[in-house]
């Protein structure tokens, strides 16, 4: 169900805490699975890759700042800076997103909003049209507390052949990787858990992935 908000409500939401910086983004390349655009900030701007203030650049006929998505507690709000539709209804100002909502930006960019994991506030945006980000990835992850990769259909990144989950999570403004067994981060072995950076290479017994700074 969509909930429509007034400009005053949106302004109060924006002012209650500091905005994130644009450096809070990275690319996640999972071997034999795909690529993912990870946004750590509470607020992201979607639009053409023409503006330095665009957090998720999409190659399409969009404005440089076309829509803004903000994490508000456990939920997400979308603000229409230009033409935005949710499930076929035009968003006049701001709408609360629900799992499965179909978002349209402009005339033909279509995304599906997902909240796959019941215990995580992290959300996922899948492309339902042919459009992609620059550089091209398979999906956009709005990472709150953690990003779960694994064989469960409720994982943020589904890796069907993996024997168990791998979790990238945040703790005190630092990124960590947690899994079962031994892992190597940038060639250094660890047991179960390790600190990672935005340029790290992570290799486990049944997986491998790389982070790339944007």
């Amino acid at each position: 169900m969509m909930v429509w908000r007034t400009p005053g409500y949106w302004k109060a939401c924006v002012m209650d805490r500091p905005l994130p910086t644009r450096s809070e983004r990275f690319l996640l390349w999972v071997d034999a699975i795909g690529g993912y655009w990870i946004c750590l900030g509470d607020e992201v701007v979607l639009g053409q890759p023409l503006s330095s203030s665009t957090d998720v650049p999409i190659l399409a006929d969009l404005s440089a700042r076309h829509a803004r998505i903000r994490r508000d507690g456990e939920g997400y709000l979308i603000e229409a800076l230009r033409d935005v539709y949710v499930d076929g209804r035009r968003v006049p100002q701001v709408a609360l997103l629900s799992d499965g909502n179909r978002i349209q930006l402009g005339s033909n960019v279509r995304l599906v909003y997902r909240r796959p994991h019941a215990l995580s506030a992290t959300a996922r945006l899948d492309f339902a049209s042919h459009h992609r980000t620059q550089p091209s990835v398979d999906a956009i992850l709005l990472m709150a507390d953690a990003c779960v990769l694994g064989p469960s259909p409720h994982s943020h990144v589904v890796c069907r052949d993996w024997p168990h989950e791998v979790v990238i999570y945040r703790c005190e403004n630092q990124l960590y990787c947690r899994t079962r067994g031994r892992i190597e981060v940038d060639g250094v072995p660890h047991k179960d858990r390790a600190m990672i950076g935005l340029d790290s290479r992570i290799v486990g017994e049944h997986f491998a992935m790389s982070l790339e700074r944007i």
Side-chain angles (χ1 to χ4, degrees):
M1 180 181 69
M2 287 181 289
V3 178
W4 307 96
R5 303 296 191 184
T6 65
Y9 177 88
W10 176 256
K11 182 177 180 180
C13 290
V14 170
M15 296 300 291
D16 67 355
R17 50 191 170 187
L19 298 179
T21 63
R22 291 188 63 249
S23 63
E24 294 176 311
R25 305 173 302 160
F26 63 92
L27 298 174
L28 177 64
W29 305 106
V30 186
D31 290 18
I33 301 296
Y36 302 87
W37 191 285
I38 313 292
C39 297
L40 299 175
D42 288 340
E43 177 180 303
V44 298
V45 174
L46 289 74
Q48 271 198 355
L50 302 175
S51 170
S52 60
S53 61
T54 301
D55 299 296
V56 181
I58 301 173
L59 292 171
D61 185 17
L62 298 175
S63 298
R65 294 169 55 85
H66 201 97
R68 180 165 28 223
I69 296 179
R70 178 175 173 82
R71 186 165 46 247
D72 180 42
E74 292 297 308
Y76 286 81
L77 300 163
I78 184 166
E79 180 189 15
L81 305 177
R82 293 294 186 268
D83 291 346
V84 175
Y85 302 83
V86 175
D87 291 340
R89 296 179 59 191
R90 186 185 182 95
V91 178
Q93 292 165 336
V94 180
L96 179 64
L97 293 172
S98 298
D99 183 49
N101 280 161
R102 301 184 69 85
I103 301 168
Q104 180 177 318
L105 308 178
S107 60
N108 57 8
V109 177
R110 297 184 301 279
L111 302 163
V112 179
Y113 170 83
R114 295 292 187 189
R115 288 285 300 276
H117 202 290
L119 300 180
S120 174
T122 294
R124 172 172 169 147
L125 297 174
D126 287 305
F127 284 97
S129 60
H130 68 276
H131 302 90
R132 289 295 182 269
T133 56
Q134 185 186 36
S136 178
V137 295
D138 296 288
I140 302 156
L141 294 173
L142 309 178
M143 182 173 160
D145 48 353
C147 176
V148 180
L149 303 90
S152 168
H154 301 294
S155 298
H156 300 113
V157 177
V158 177
C159 310
R160 292 181 175 84
D161 296 330
W162 290 13
H164 46 73
E165 289 182 346
V166 176
V167 181
I168 296 174
Y169 66 98
R170 294 200 280 183
C171 182
E172 297 181 352
N173 297 319
Q174 178 61 53
L175 286 175
Y176 291 84
C177 180
R178 182 181 72 243
T179 189
R180 188 185 308 168
R182 295 180 63 83
I183 57 173
E184 286 189 2
V185 176
D186 301 324
V188 179
H190 299 269
K191 175 67 173 176
D192 296 332
R193 173 182 181 270
M195 184 182 296
I196 60 176
L198 295 186
D199 297 302
S200 287
R201 175 70 174 170
I202 307 166
V203 179
E205 295 179 6
H206 302 283
F207 73 92
M209 56 188 173
S210 301
L211 280 67
E212 180 181 338
R213 190 186 305 270
I214 299 175

